[in-house]
Amino acid sequence: KDYFSQHPEYFSFRDGKRVPDSQLCLSNPEVLKICIEKMKKAIADNPLYWVYSMSQNDNFLPCQCENCLALEKKYGGHSGIFIWFVNQVADAIKDVYPDKYIGTFAYQYTRQAPKNIVPRPNVVIRLCSIECDFSHPINATEYNKPFMKDLEDWSRIAPQLFIWDYVVNFNQYLAPYPNFGSLAQNIITFRDHKAVGVQEEAQYQTDGGEFSEMKAWVLAKLLWNPEQDTQALVDEFIKLYYEDAAEEIKEYFDLCRSLIKDDTVMGFAFNEKHPMYSDGFIAKAWDILEKAAKEVSGNEELTNRVDRVRAQILFLKVTRNPEESKADGSKDELVRIISEGKIRVREWQ
């Protein structure tokens, strides 16, 4: 909004024209100058952080001008030109702010490590695991081998490696997402590849996602010490948080865990038609959770906690069988729970 009308050459060249709302033309020296100036101002205005982001936008529209393509060829792809650019920003910052770091993504089209160039010592690489299978530990499946290669490549050249990980289903925050079995091992894998930090992204705009309270608590524990027994942490949380309904919630949790088979692939965003959800699973889970609701009947706080678990199966019932859910009251019950809890169902909705 500030530059495109007067300087379209600052932005991505795609299909013969410059495109707004895309990426920057990183080979343009004026773009570098502006970014350095704005980075200095950002640090001056917000002096208490240790790392400041100079990263790609969240789209697949990198510049394809002749100069950018030449730099990508020289440095091994899209990540190469980004490291070339961010290194120059970091060089301009280090003398003015010697204790500050410049961060950039290794994300989607920049996920692979570059060639013939390495990040400066004051650059932080934020590697994102968005394409992975999260039903199993990242280091344990054929599906995740490409990411593991990128993790290993970056760990060799990144002076600071920071992991941006994903721990919920962003297409349906409420539906069962049984990834507890992979949480600790993934943190251990990141740690063993020299990660200085891990961000576990969950339903960041809303409360009330699938086991969100328990997942936040367990992850907080594991980020301090990933050698802990995840199941012991889960058992402790369920006992103390769900109280009279703990036995039923534990039974339901174990049922969800049983959905993960050797060949299960569970990405960061999928819908209610995923093959691990069956009508038999939903029926069995619903019976268990109805018993849980009866155990806490009359206790408003515990009922609210159990309702948030019941919403997982209500969501599957409503999305898989909308007409039936209208008739049997499941839709009204789900709407009540998400309305009272101000729960957002999907990342973009």
Side-chain angles (χ1 to χ4, degrees):
K1 67 182 178 63
D2 292 340
Y3 292 99
F4 187 81
S5 62
Q6 297 298 318
H7 293 283
E9 72 275 12
Y10 291 173
F11 299 86
S12 288
F13 183 79
R14 308 277 305 183
D15 300 322
K17 62 182 180 180
R18 297 287 174 172
V19 183
D21 303 318
S22 55
Q23 305 288 348
L24 298 178
C25 178
L26 298 178
S27 64
N28 187 317
E30 288 299 312
V31 169
L32 177 62
K33 180 181 177 182
I34 293 169
C35 285
I36 289 172
E37 291 172 355
K38 287 187 175 289
M39 180 58 74
K40 288 179 178 178
K41 185 177 188 303
I43 297 174
D45 291 346
N46 305 275
L48 300 182
Y49 296 94
W50 70 277
V51 59
Y52 298 78
S53 182
M54 179 63 66
S55 300
Q56 70 209 62
N57 292 321
D58 201 355
N59 64 57
F60 290 85
L61 299 171
C63 185
Q64 296 176 332
C65 77
E66 184 176 334
N67 291 335
C68 282
L69 291 178
L71 285 165
E72 288 186 3
K73 184 177 181 180
K74 180 178 180 180
Y75 295 120
H78 296 303
S79 62
I81 188 174
F82 251 97
I83 298 304
W84 171 83
F85 185 89
V86 170
N87 276 351
Q88 294 177 82
V89 177
D91 285 345
I93 295 301
K94 67 179 180 181
D95 292 334
V96 185
Y97 298 104
D99 62 333
K100 303 303 186 185
Y101 294 82
I102 306 302
T104 197
F105 282 131
Y107 173 54
Q108 295 182 329
Y109 72 88
T110 62
R111 202 186 78 185
Q112 293 182 339
K115 298 176 182 178
N116 308 317
I117 193 170
V118 298
R120 294 287 195 266
N122 59 331
V123 168
V124 176
I125 300 301
R126 197 171 339 195
L127 176 62
C128 304
S129 62
I130 196 168
E131 295 90 357
C132 288
D133 162 34
F134 299 102
S135 63
H136 302 90
I138 277 176
N139 67 341
T141 69
E142 192 74 20
Y143 189 96
N144 289 330
K145 276 190 173 180
F147 176 82
M148 284 302 301
K149 181 182 185 308
D150 293 339
L151 175 61
E152 290 161 5
D153 290 345
W154 280 112
S155 71
R156 282 193 289 269
I157 67 170
Q160 287 81 217
L161 183 61
F162 191 105
I163 305 298
W164 185 310
D165 195 28
Y166 302 81
V167 293
V168 300
N169 183 345
F170 290 85
N171 188 48
Q172 45 186 29
Y173 285 149
L174 286 174
Y177 192 75
N179 63 336
F180 279 85
S182 65
L183 298 178
Q185 183 55 55
N186 286 351
I187 296 171
I188 289 170
T189 296
F190 301 145
R191 180 201 67 190
D192 291 349
H193 285 80
K194 305 177 185 177
V196 300
V198 178
Q199 173 178 322
E200 302 288 20
E201 184 180 353
Q203 68 289 346
Y204 58 93
Q205 319 99 321
T206 182
D207 189 13
E210 173 262 0
F211 279 128
S212 60
E213 306 95 332
M214 181 161 69
K215 194 167 288 184
W217 186 82
V218 169
L219 280 167
K221 293 283 189 178
L222 294 176
L223 285 165
W224 281 109
N225 175 15
E227 307 291 347
Q228 294 179 82
D229 183 341
T230 302
Q231 188 59 57
L233 292 172
V234 167
D235 290 345
E236 179 183 358
F237 186 92
I238 288 176
K239 177 182 178 182
L240 297 175
Y241 192 71
Y242 296 104
E243 298 185 18
D244 294 342
E247 183 177 342
E248 289 75 19
I249 298 298
K250 176 64 163 56
E251 184 181 0
Y252 168 69
F253 176 86
D254 291 342
L255 178 64
C256 292
R257 284 288 304 275
S258 73
L259 298 176
I260 303 299
K261 312 298 183 186
D262 289 344
D263 61 348
T264 301
V265 173
M266 200 170 69
F268 90 108
F270 55 86
N271 65 25
E272 69 281 353
K273 295 180 181 178
H274 192 288
M276 71 178 176
Y277 303 137
S278 67
D279 291 341
F281 159 72
I282 292 171
K284 186 172 183 179
W286 185 244
D287 287 344
I288 295 169
L289 294 179
E290 287 299 270
K291 292 178 184 176
K294 291 178 182 177
E295 292 294 334
V296 296
S297 178
N299 185 315
E300 183 178 353
E301 184 173 3
L302 291 180
T303 294
N304 179 58
R305 294 176 182 182
V306 170
D307 276 350
R308 287 169 178 254
V309 183
R310 291 173 67 239
Q312 299 177 28
I313 300 304
L314 283 167
F315 178 86
L316 289 182
K317 291 178 71 173
V318 170
T319 53
R320 288 164 65 92
N321 298 291
E323 295 304 319
E324 180 182 316
S325 297
K326 288 180 184 178
D328 68 12
S330 296
K331 181 180 179 182
D332 290 340
E333 180 72 348
L334 177 64
V335 169
R336 178 188 67 81
I337 293 171
I338 64 176
S339 298
E340 290 178 357
K342 298 180 173 61
I343 298 169
R344 184 166 173 160
V345 176
R346 295 183 176 89
E347 182 180 23
W348 56 86
Q349 185 179 44

